[in-house]
Amino acid sequence: MYGIIATWRMALEGISEGAKMLDQGQTADDALETAIRAVEDFEYYKSVGYGGLPNEEMEVELDAAWMDGDTLSIGAVAAIKDYANPVSIARKLSTEPVNNMLVGAGAEKYAHKNGFERKNMLTERAKIHYYNRKKEVEELELKPYSGHDTVGMVDLDQFGHMCAATSTSGLFMKRAGRVGDSPISGSGFYVDSEVGGASATGLGEDLMKGCVSYEIVRLMKEGFTPQQACEKTVRSLDRKLKERRGKAGDLSLIAMNNKGEWGCATNIEGFSFAVATEKEEPTVYLVKFKEDGSQYFEVASKEWMDNYMRTRTAPLVRK
Ligand code: GLY
């Protein structure tokens, strides 16, 4: 059995490539790195890699992480600037004996020394988003922060090896130096090949309050299915945050166990995720809610898919 699951529709092209590699018998790590890099490299996805939206100083600072479910090795970068594929740097860091998580200038120095591709990650399109948002915030007195569509993935190869990884530009208009959940083990991601893995997207500040990815893996270890574990974790943190703080930020999680069974839960409308397994072609699902609050999945229609790409790539004008 093999499989790969990821947050958001934007992961579809990446997981399709990854699934092909897994089908050919390639390893979970190579398939996962390829899958995440495809998302990082596509400039129209504005919250990951090239084309990611900048912080309040109009600089693109990226977070990414890597975890190997066999060895439990972890590597992560945070607030790294001017490097094309943060996930590859995170993967390399996971092979170091120590110093596995590097931030800012230290991460950039490491990337330079190890020959990773330098690239100005701020696109003209991202600048237009920045100027438009700045104007909107000033005129409408809005909260500046928005957009936090991290790509988080978990995969399983035919040899039972699992990996997890994340990559994100974090909150649009975040403070310089702000780090979200994505590079934080147990929050943005966690994987153990003896059990399964999970990854998160949403408001990092709230996701970190529940160590959600670790919690899902822990529940799967206790015998819950990936779907039960995701729902239990999201519902319980959502409830707790509302009780204790009056509100809960966006919390969306995906998971896969070491049999290739998968699950997803969210507390927001409009969440999508992409999955492919030995038994299932790459598919995008939309999470929908019934009146009683319970959720179900719908395969994204052709119309939805066409509209998605049309709106992502539509010309942008500065207001
Ligand atoms: N979940 C991504 C972030 O908050 O940065």
Side-chain angles (χ1 to χ4, degrees):
M1 185 54 161
Y2 66 82
I4 181 165
I5 184 164
T7 55
W8 302 109
R9 150 66 185 93
M10 66 176 155
L12 179 65
E13 292 78 13
I15 67 140
S16 302
E17 272 188 69
K20 222 176 273 167
M21 292 172 69
L22 294 169
D23 187 54
Q24 291 163 355
Q26 297 196 53
T27 60
D29 28 21
D30 289 343
L32 198 65
E33 185 177 353
T34 300
I36 297 248
R37 283 176 68 112
V39 189
E40 288 180 336
D41 289 341
F42 190 60
E43 69 170 289
Y44 290 100
Y45 296 147
K46 57 188 180 7
S47 49
V48 176
Y50 186 58
L53 294 180
N55 65 16
E56 64 179 4
E57 295 172 13
M58 214 173 76
E59 290 193 307
V60 181
E61 289 189 336
L62 303 171
D63 298 341
W66 181 269
M67 184 164 184
D68 181 305
D70 280 5
T71 59
L72 306 182
S73 296
I74 287 168
V77 289
I80 187 171
K81 286 191 276 204
D82 299 327
Y83 277 88
N85 294 108
V87 75
S88 299
I89 306 167
R91 180 179 176 185
K92 171 83 177 144
L93 277 165
S94 75
T95 65
E96 301 287 350
V98 284
N99 301 300
N100 300 113
M101 180 170 181
L102 296 177
V103 305
E108 289 150 21
K109 211 177 272 181
Y110 178 86
H112 176 67
K113 269 195 193 147
N114 286 277
F116 286 97
E117 183 193 347
R118 259 181 82 82
K119 185 169 177 175
N120 174 6
M121 301 299 272
L122 183 65
T123 59
E124 287 309 310
R125 195 174 171 85
K127 279 189 204 166
I128 298 176
H129 275 296
Y130 175 86
Y131 289 124
N132 288 352
R133 184 70 185 162
K134 207 158 178 274
K135 191 154 181 258
E136 238 172 52
V137 168
E138 282 158 10
E139 286 175 3
L140 306 171
E141 292 178 21
L142 291 173
K143 280 196 309 192
Y145 311 113
S146 71
H148 34 72
D149 302 353
T150 302
V151 69
M153 297 193 188
V154 176
D155 76 341
L156 162 73
D157 68 23
Q158 295 184 33
F159 318 102
H161 180 194
M162 298 193 77
C163 289
T166 59
S167 187
T168 188
S169 54
L171 281 187
F172 181 23
M173 293 284 187
K174 65 189 179 183
R175 289 227 173 110
R178 180 259 185 196
V179 176
D181 60 301
S182 306
I184 307 296
S185 166
S187 285
F189 64 95
Y190 197 81
V191 65
D192 176 344
S193 302
E194 287 182 0
V195 183
S199 186
T201 175
L203 183 65
E205 283 73 2
D206 275 358
L207 289 159
M208 283 190 271
K209 294 181 177 89
C211 298
V212 281
S213 293
Y214 182 80
E215 176 63 5
I216 288 174
V217 175
R218 192 189 67 77
L219 288 168
M220 291 196 292
K221 192 172 178 185
E222 276 187 10
F224 290 96
T225 64
Q227 186 56 34
Q228 288 165 339
C230 285
E231 289 197 36
K232 242 173 132 49
T233 301
V234 170
R235 303 286 159 259
S236 124
L237 181 60
D238 182 67
R239 195 177 322 116
K240 196 182 280 194
L241 292 172
K242 285 176 179 156
E243 276 165 15
R244 306 240 193 127
R245 305 171 60 83
K247 60 179 189 238
D250 296 1
L251 315 169
S252 303
L253 273 297
I254 51 97
M256 182 169 277
N257 66 15
N258 64 0
K259 292 185 241 155
E261 296 163 343
W262 53 263
C264 167
T266 181
N267 66 349
I268 58 163
E269 297 284 345
F271 183 62
S272 59
F273 62 99
V275 62
T277 69
E278 198 172 321
K279 297 187 198 144
E280 184 173 11
E281 289 293 304
T283 306
V284 172
Y285 289 96
L286 309 176
V287 184
K288 303 275 177 179
F289 291 92
K290 295 187 193 153
E291 264 176 29
D292 65 2
S294 62
Q295 57 163 60
Y296 62 98
F297 305 139
E298 232 175 59
V299 174
S301 64
K302 182 170 179 326
E303 190 190 356
W304 187 93
M305 296 288 276
D306 291 347
N307 186 47
Y308 176 92
M309 216 22 113
R310 200 169 36 245
T311 50
R312 288 302 173 287
T313 55
L316 257 191
V317 279
R318 192 164 160 182
K319 291 176 190 152

